[in-house]
Amino acid sequence: MTLSRSLSRRAALAAVAAAAALVLAACGSTDHAGGTHPTHAAATASASAGQHNQADVTFAQQMIPHHRQAVAMAEMAATRASSGEVKSLADKIKQAQDPEINTMSGWLTAWGKDVPQDMGGMDHEMPGMDHGNASSMPGMMGSDQMGDLDGASGKVFDTMFLTMMIEHHQGAIDMAKTEKDQGAYAPAKALAGDIVTAQTAEITQMRKMLDAG
């Protein structure tokens, strides 16, 4: 009788231990796609969304079309520039700014904000853009200026490209400095710092190229 009760008690304890192990395993599990448990993922997304402010949103929404236009200008250089140095610089700009566009688009999506529509890099139809020579964003080229660059070639293109890209970079630097001062999202502020550093150096390089031209 005593032996029977002892065996029953051991069986009950084993069942409780097994159930507890299953609960713990479920709480710490990941799905087969590599994501975390839905509850943990939701908490992480919520925390990330709470780390940004309006300055971060404005920075991303304005810098995306700004970068797209720089990439469009850089792509023109591949077939229109006469200087190998200009072509090399243009490729460097494209390689740097394309991934940054993707990064900022990802932020906006995570924050539930609109990602600016891709206007093919020209972006001269976007709200706030003067259809002649200016934009509400610093350094942004108007449709006339982009059309002139698109129609140029050789040394004329080189000079026009460098002159316009210096102005374009200066505008991006101004926008990035605003983000550094007013933003709250650490990755956005870090990207802004990278933009200031990289594009300041490129402006120095382009000015030397113009002087040597």
Side-chain angles (χ1 to χ4, degrees):
M1 194 71 173
T2 302
L3 177 61
S4 176
R5 287 179 179 176
S6 177
L7 289 175
S8 296
R9 174 179 286 183
R10 288 179 184 179
L13 290 173
V16 170
L22 287 173
V23 171
L24 289 173
C27 289
S29 68
T30 56
D31 62 33
H32 293 291
T36 58
H37 190 274
T39 302
H40 180 261
T44 301
S46 177
S48 176
Q51 293 170 353
H52 72 281
N53 62 13
Q54 183 56 46
D56 299 316
V57 175
T58 299
F59 169 71
Q61 288 183 331
Q62 292 191 346
M63 193 63 78
I64 287 171
H66 205 276
H67 270 19
R68 283 177 181 154
Q69 189 176 74
V71 169
M73 293 165 66
E75 288 174 342
M76 291 180 196
T79 56
R80 292 170 174 77
S82 63
S83 165
E85 193 175 4
V86 169
K87 290 183 179 181
S88 177
L89 173 64
D91 184 63
K92 179 183 175 183
I93 290 170
K94 175 177 169 58
Q95 295 304 318
Q97 297 195 19
D98 261 340
E100 291 174 353
I101 291 170
N102 292 334
T103 295
M104 291 183 286
S105 297
W107 293 341
L108 290 172
T109 299
W111 297 338
K113 303 296 183 180
D114 292 337
V115 176
Q117 183 180 357
D118 188 352
M119 303 296 291
M122 303 297 266
D123 288 303
H124 54 270
E125 298 297 334
M126 63 180 297
M129 173 70 79
D130 182 322
H131 290 237
N133 298 306
S135 154
S136 60
M137 287 182 290
M140 199 78 167
M141 300 295 115
S143 56
D144 289 353
Q145 291 168 298
M146 291 297 287
D148 289 344
L149 184 65
D150 193 32
S153 62
K155 196 169 181 63
V156 172
F157 176 90
D158 295 345
T159 300
M160 190 179 298
F161 173 85
L162 292 171
T163 302
M164 290 170 63
M165 192 61 79
I166 287 171
E167 181 181 350
H168 203 270
H169 272 21
Q170 287 173 329
I173 290 169
D174 289 344
M175 293 161 63
K177 286 181 176 178
T178 298
E179 166 61 17
K180 287 180 66 179
D181 290 341
Q182 301 178 11
Y185 189 57
K189 290 165 73 73
L191 176 58
D194 291 343
I195 289 172
V196 171
T197 299
Q199 297 199 18
T200 297
E202 288 172 355
I203 286 174
T204 299
Q205 179 185 356
M206 289 187 285
R207 284 175 174 161
K208 290 179 179 178
M209 291 166 69
L210 281 174
D211 290 343

